[in-house]
C-alpha cells in the first residue's frame, strides 16, 4: 500500500468507505476516545473541519479503546456522544485497534509512513494525529497533546501545494 487511498475502513455505521473518495483533499486522521483527558480536542477538530472543509480538508476520526479503555461504547453511543457534546459533523469510523496484532491496516500504514519519537511506530495515546497530503501520502504525525488548531499552518501549506 502506497497511499491512504488504498484502504477501505468501515464507517461508524459499519459500511465500507473507500478512502479513494478523498483523493485530492488534505486529510487529518485521528484516533479518538470519548472518555480521555484529550476528548475536548473533538471541539478543536470540528473547528478545523469547519474552517477548512470548503477548501478541501476532511477530518477522519477513528475511535479506539486501546488506551485506558477510554472508548468503551458501541457505535451508536460513540456517535451520539460526539454529536451531543461536541457537535461533530466530520466523518467517524468504526472502532479499531491502532496497535498490536489486530491493528487496522490503515494504521499500520500510517505508523510506518510517519514513525513517532525515536522512530517508534506505536501509537502512544488517544488523539495522535496524521496529516495527509492531497496525493494520499503522509505529511506528518502529531502527538496527542498537539491541539488541532496548532495544525492550521501545516494545513494551509498542504492546501497550497
Amino acid at each position: 500500500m502506497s497511499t491512504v487511498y488504498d484502504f477501505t475502513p468501515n464507517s461508524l455505521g459499519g459500511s465500507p468507505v473507500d478512502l479513494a473518495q478523498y483523493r485530492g483533499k488534505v486529510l487529518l486522521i485521528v484516533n479518538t476516545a470519548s472518555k480521555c483527558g484529550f476528548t475536548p480536542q473533538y471541539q478543536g477538530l470540528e473547528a478545523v473541519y469547519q474552517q477548512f472543509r470548503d477548501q478541501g480538508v476532511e477530518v477522519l476520526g477513528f475511535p479506539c479503546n486501546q488506551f485506558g479503555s477510554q472508548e468503551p461504547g458501541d457505535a451508536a453511543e460513540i456517535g451520539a456522544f460526539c454529536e451531543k457534546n461536541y457537535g461533530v459533523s466530520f466523518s467517524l469510523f468504526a472502532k479499531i485497534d491502532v496497535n498490536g496484532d489486530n491493528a487496522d491496516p490503515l494504521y499500520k500504514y500510517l505508523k510506518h509512513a510517519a514513525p513517532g519519537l525515536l522512530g517508534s511506530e506505536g501509537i502512544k495515546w488517544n488523539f495522535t494525529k496524521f496529516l495527509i497530503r492531497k496525493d494520499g501520502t503522509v505529511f506528518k504525525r502529531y502527538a496527542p497533546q498537539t491541539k488541532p488548531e496548532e495544525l492550521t499552518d501545516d494545513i494551509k501549506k498542504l492546501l497550497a501545494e
Side-chain angles (χ1 to χ4, degrees):
M1 304 287 183
S2 58
T3 74
V4 298
Y5 304 137
D6 297 325
F7 298 92
T8 306
N10 287 329
S11 70
L12 193 61
S15 57
V17 177
D18 185 349
L19 295 187
Q21 73 180 355
Y22 296 113
R23 193 175 304 279
K25 295 184 179 239
V26 172
L27 304 179
L28 177 56
I29 299 176
V30 188
N31 63 301
T32 61
S34 300
K35 300 188 182 311
C36 175
F38 294 119
T39 299
Q41 285 191 24
Y42 270 126
Q43 185 173 358
L45 292 167
E46 180 64 21
V48 165
Y49 178 58
Q50 292 298 327
Q51 180 179 354
F52 292 107
R53 70 179 180 176
D54 291 341
Q55 297 169 54
V57 173
E58 294 288 338
V59 176
L60 310 180
F62 288 84
C64 177
N65 195 40
Q66 285 190 288
F67 306 102
S69 298
Q70 295 179 343
E71 188 60 276
D74 63 20
E77 291 168 323
I78 292 167
F81 172 86
C82 291
E83 186 175 341
K84 177 178 183 268
N85 294 291
Y86 296 101
V88 168
S89 63
F90 58 83
S91 296
L92 290 172
F93 289 79
K95 190 162 38 173
I96 60 165
D97 283 354
V98 297
N99 290 328
D101 293 341
N102 296 320
D104 187 86
L106 172 62
Y107 265 81
K108 288 180 183 177
Y109 165 77
L110 293 171
K111 295 184 304 181
H112 182 72
L117 202 58
L118 304 174
S120 166
E121 289 191 10
I123 301 291
K124 299 284 188 262
W125 204 254
N126 303 309
F127 291 91
T128 297
K129 299 157 200 72
F130 292 90
L131 196 56
I132 312 299
R133 294 179 186 93
K134 293 178 191 177
D135 67 2
T137 60
V138 179
F139 171 72
K140 192 172 177 184
R141 177 183 194 158
Y142 303 86
Q145 59 270 27
T146 304
K147 294 180 179 160
E149 51 271 24
E150 294 174 43
L151 278 58
T152 55
D153 286 345
D154 285 345
I155 291 170
K156 288 176 185 175
K157 177 181 174 181
L158 294 184
L159 284 170
E161 285 185 349

